Amino acid sequence: MANARETAVYTHGHHESVLRSHTWRTAANSAGYLLGSLRPQMRILDIGCGPGTITADLAELVPDGRVTGVDHAPGILEQARATAAARGLDNIDFAVADVHALDYPDDTFCVVHAHQVLQHVGDPVRALREMHRVTKPGGFIAVRDADYAAMTWYPAADGLTDWLDLYERVARANGGEPDAGRRLKAWALAAGLRDITATSSTWTFATAEERAWWSGLWADRTVASAYADRAVQGGHATAGERRAVARAWREWGGREDAWFAVLHGEILCRKDA
């Protein structure tokens, strides 16, 4: 769900276990910090739109405006178009794009939004400069990214600690920064943005259904996704080590007292009018 130059590789890919998570995302659970700034007539660019669930929500929130969803991976845009069509939205379109070099004129969009994108790109500061460039004066740059090292869970499990260590090594070898959430404000300042509101929010998985869903998708992702392939190809983990991590996820998810929180950093930057 991210745009990337050749200096970075999208760690997750688009395996079913990844899309299981991406299609769960909504504007409400993933862009709440932005929603109060939206107006019905706004034109929005949604970068790294993936399967388009957040994009479609944004389109419904700007009925007199228009939303353009872009992603670096052409294949996922077919699913995004299907999402929009199923919801009967006609104020939405999709295109292939690179966040480091957006093919739009200066001052085009009222809002430029990116969810879980900057952690995967080769040059997040350059990406933010591009996002700022195509934002209209008085408009907003809105970015939200997870911070893997800040994720926390109960009870302690060596297998989940191994998972976090493995994921961070694979992501950094791919040219990304998995602890992006804590860096968003610093990256924005480095990009020359100044009117910055920095916040945070979490996803929490605690009910039996939530635990099964979250642990299951990570167990599957660890053994059967592009991330799993890159872990092996990069020499970061053997197949046996990945299977052990997957078992640890399922064991953790089966515990009644299990709890997991995903911390996200957020920035909402207003472009000078």
Side-chain angles (χ1 to χ4, degrees):
M1 195 179 184
N3 297 13
R5 300 173 71 203
E6 292 180 0
T7 52
V9 175
Y10 181 43
T11 296
H12 297 287
H14 293 100
H15 183 264
E16 182 278 330
S17 61
V18 178
L19 295 179
R20 203 182 311 164
S21 171
H22 290 183
T23 55
W24 166 83
R25 297 172 183 174
T26 65
N29 69 28
S30 299
Y33 71 104
L34 167 63
L35 302 188
S37 299
L38 298 183
R39 299 295 179 265
Q41 75 284 357
M42 281 181 159
R43 185 176 180 188
I44 300 175
L45 178 65
D46 186 24
I47 296 175
C49 65
T53 51
I54 297 175
T55 323
D57 283 352
L58 294 174
E60 289 183 340
L61 292 168
V62 292
D64 302 321
R66 188 162 191 85
V67 178
T68 297
V70 298
D71 203 284
H72 189 69
I76 196 61
L77 294 179
E78 290 307 311
Q79 184 166 341
R81 292 185 181 100
T83 298
R87 292 168 65 167
L89 296 168
D90 59 8
N91 64 333
I92 190 169
D93 59 88
F94 297 95
V96 176
D98 177 356
V99 69
H100 298 90
L102 295 167
D103 190 23
Y104 299 100
D106 295 357
D107 307 336
T108 298
F109 298 96
C110 305
V111 175
V112 179
H113 168 262
H115 183 261
Q116 310 287 36
V117 171
L118 294 191
Q119 64 184 280
H120 297 295
V121 305
D123 190 341
V125 173
R126 179 176 173 181
L128 282 163
R129 289 192 185 113
E130 271 293 274
M131 294 171 69
H132 180 268
R133 179 184 67 78
V134 301
T135 301
K136 291 181 178 181
F140 297 94
I141 300 97
V143 180
R144 184 176 191 254
D145 267 276
D147 193 298
Y148 276 77
M151 294 183 188
T152 188
W153 57 86
Y154 182 88
D158 289 343
L160 266 63
T161 301
D162 293 341
W163 158 76
L164 180 58
D165 174 69
L166 173 62
Y167 180 81
E168 292 215 319
R169 284 188 284 114
V170 173
R172 290 194 171 110
N174 286 340
E177 175 45 69
D179 301 340
R182 69 188 66 188
R183 291 172 165 82
L184 294 182
K185 182 181 178 182
W187 287 341
L189 289 169
L193 282 61
R194 289 295 176 264
D195 187 353
I196 304 168
T197 300
T199 55
S200 64
S201 61
T202 61
W203 292 334
T204 303
F205 306 102
T207 68
E209 182 181 15
E210 291 165 347
R211 295 192 314 269
W213 180 78
W214 183 246
S215 62
L217 69 85
W218 269 110
D220 292 344
R221 198 178 297 188
T222 301
V223 296
S225 67
Y227 155 62
D229 294 339
R230 288 167 184 142
V232 173
Q233 293 164 2
H236 303 290
T238 65
E241 289 167 338
R242 289 185 295 113
R243 287 194 295 269
V245 168
R247 284 195 301 272
W249 266 115
R250 295 193 187 281
E251 290 170 3
W252 173 88
R255 291 193 53 147
E256 185 179 5
D257 60 350
W259 175 94
F260 198 106
V262 179
L263 178 71
H264 297 83
E266 304 158 343
I267 53 170
L268 186 64
C269 310
R270 188 168 194 130
K271 185 171 179 176
D272 292 341

